[in-house]
Amino acid sequence: MKRLFIILLSFSSFSAVAQRLSPADRAALDKLQDSLRAISYDVINGKEQSVREERNDYFIPQLVNALKTSYSYYYPFDSLKTVAKIYPQDSTFRIFTWPLENDNSTFRHFGVIQMNTKDGALKLFPLFDNSDFSKNMDTITNNRGWIGCLYYAMIQKRYFNAEYYTLFGWDANSQTSQKKVIEMLTFKNGEPVFGGPFFSFAEDTVPKPARNRFFIEYKREAVAAMNYDAEMDMIIFDHLISETNEPLKKYTYIPDLDYEGFKWQAGRWVHVEKVFHDALQLGKYPIGQPADKKRTDYVKPKMDFEIQEEEAAKAAEAAKKGKKKKKD
């Protein structure tokens, strides 16, 4: 997990390439970003759904207009705090996603994939949230049938000279439950494909069919982790149980301090029923404290790498104070 969200900071490694942006284009993008920031604030904070929708309808073409700037891929848009931006390790594209809340506390999601083109010209794929119209979420879709969510991380794997991008998403879902999802993004003939039979349960005690994407759904007030652990080279997530012993009611699910996972094997994520076989100390998380409760502020949401930086700074400060106290 420590390395996972470093991808979100990949603009620091773009410094040399970002020089392709002319000073004039950078200045123009600075102004456009200021405008986008103000609009996106209203998308999240508008008091009425009609206002949020109106501002969102205005935000989308303005964002596309900004992306039309030559080599805009190398502009970070880091002031757009309400828009999540993720990058693969090979920097061949990036994905923007953001939520729009309905008055009934459900959400629609919007997004776009921007490709990193050699000549700096714009190539993008808008993402159309089809989740409200999809009875079956275990499907393979294109960008027009996207199962909407807010993407918070991505990892890249290679198998037989093909690239596989695993996306981690979060959906506030409803008044009673929230969801997390992992799904594979691949490209076929240059077009994005979401989902595929990449999640295998063949090694389970009771084997089950492969899934095209994997969800966990749990109580709205609960905090559940689903992240990639780089040291273990595994996806690790909370094992969930119904706190009221009603397994059909997903809004009653909470973590039980046990963990499941997926390991990358022969081009698939193979399910691991139990990751840790030793008891964990209460309150300890093997992959870092989940970020959901830090994410409730849509105006200034925090990604895991930001939380990790804050925790590292606090630890360094504590160590510094400890040394000083010891000297005294």
Side-chain angles (χ1 to χ4, degrees):
M1 188 178 112
K2 293 179 181 178
R3 298 177 184 175
L4 177 58
F5 289 94
I6 294 176
I7 296 173
L8 292 170
L9 293 175
S10 57
F11 284 112
S12 61
S13 64
F14 286 168
S15 57
V17 187
Q19 293 175 5
R20 295 177 182 177
L21 267 173
S22 70
D25 284 342
R26 181 173 290 278
L29 284 170
D30 285 341
K31 290 183 179 180
L32 287 169
Q33 179 177 228
D34 289 340
S35 176
L36 287 168
R37 184 175 63 247
I39 300 168
S40 65
Y41 179 88
D42 294 336
V43 172
I44 299 301
N45 295 282
K47 292 184 178 181
E48 298 178 357
Q49 182 174 329
S50 59
V51 173
R52 296 192 294 271
E53 289 177 340
E54 179 183 355
R55 298 302 279 167
N56 187 64
D57 289 343
Y58 185 55
F59 176 82
I60 294 171
Q62 293 301 310
L63 175 61
V64 174
N65 183 51
L67 295 178
K68 286 181 180 178
T69 305
S70 184
Y71 293 107
S72 66
Y73 180 87
Y74 298 103
Y75 187 82
F77 291 99
D78 50 4
S79 290
L80 293 182
K81 301 299 184 181
T82 60
V83 177
K85 300 168 284 289
I86 60 171
Y87 300 77
Q89 190 175 8
D90 61 12
S91 297
T92 51
F93 63 93
R94 63 179 171 178
I95 307 179
F96 297 82
T97 51
W98 66 93
L100 176 66
E101 185 174 8
N102 299 314
D103 283 342
N104 62 0
S105 296
T106 61
F107 289 79
R108 282 177 289 161
H109 293 86
F110 296 82
V112 63
I113 300 175
Q114 181 186 18
M115 306 304 294
N116 184 7
T117 57
K118 292 182 179 180
D119 62 358
L122 178 63
K123 181 179 181 181
L124 59 79
F125 298 96
L127 303 179
F128 298 95
D129 189 350
N130 196 46
S131 53
D132 288 342
F133 310 101
S134 298
K135 293 182 179 180
N136 180 17
M137 297 294 186
D138 192 43
T139 57
I140 301 173
T141 68
N142 58 19
N143 57 298
R144 294 186 175 275
W146 179 53
I147 305 300
C149 62
L150 187 74
Y151 289 129
Y152 60 90
M154 181 193 316
I155 56 174
Q156 180 177 347
K157 293 290 186 179
R158 187 175 180 84
Y159 183 69
F160 274 112
N161 296 321
E163 303 299 333
Y164 298 88
Y165 306 96
T166 305
L167 306 176
F168 294 73
W170 174 67
D171 180 8
N173 194 40
S174 70
Q175 293 178 330
T176 57
S177 72
Q178 56 180 307
K179 296 179 179 179
K180 283 191 173 178
V181 59
I182 44 177
E183 64 179 337
M184 197 73 77
L185 169 64
T186 54
F187 288 86
K188 184 176 182 180
N189 299 323
E191 301 282 328
V193 178
F194 293 91
F198 297 105
F199 297 94
S200 170
F201 299 83
E203 295 186 6
D204 281 11
T205 304
V206 179
K208 296 182 289 292
R211 296 187 193 178
N212 292 314
R213 58 177 49 81
F214 180 77
F215 286 93
I216 58 172
E217 183 176 355
Y218 50 97
K219 186 176 179 179
R220 183 67 180 262
E221 295 78 19
V223 177
M226 180 182 278
N227 289 302
Y228 173 71
D229 188 296
E231 293 181 2
M232 298 184 69
D233 192 22
M234 288 180 62
I235 295 172
I236 301 177
F237 60 95
D238 275 294
H239 178 263
L240 304 173
I241 59 171
S242 171
E243 63 179 343
T244 57
N245 198 27
E246 298 175 281
L248 296 180
K249 296 179 179 179
K250 296 296 184 181
Y251 60 84
T252 67
Y253 276 55
I254 60 172
D256 67 351
L257 296 183
D258 207 350
Y259 291 86
E260 301 176 57
F262 287 99
K263 59 183 178 181
W264 181 255
Q265 188 172 294
R268 296 185 302 170
W269 287 109
V270 179
H271 184 233
V272 178
E273 292 180 288
K274 187 178 180 65
V275 175
F276 303 99
H277 294 276
D278 295 324
L280 293 173
Q281 185 178 346
L282 186 63
K284 298 295 184 181
Y285 297 87
I287 53 173
Q289 187 174 0
D292 287 51
K293 62 184 178 182
K294 305 288 185 78
R295 200 182 289 277
T296 54
D297 183 357
Y298 285 126
V299 180
K300 296 181 179 179
K302 293 182 180 180
M303 296 298 180
D304 277 18
F305 77 89
E306 294 175 303
I307 298 169
Q308 291 170 3
E309 287 179 347
E310 290 180 1
E311 292 176 347
K314 289 178 182 178
E317 183 64 24
K320 185 177 179 181
K321 288 182 180 178
K323 289 181 179 179
K324 183 177 181 182
K325 186 176 180 181
K326 189 175 181 179
K327 289 181 179 180
D328 294 341

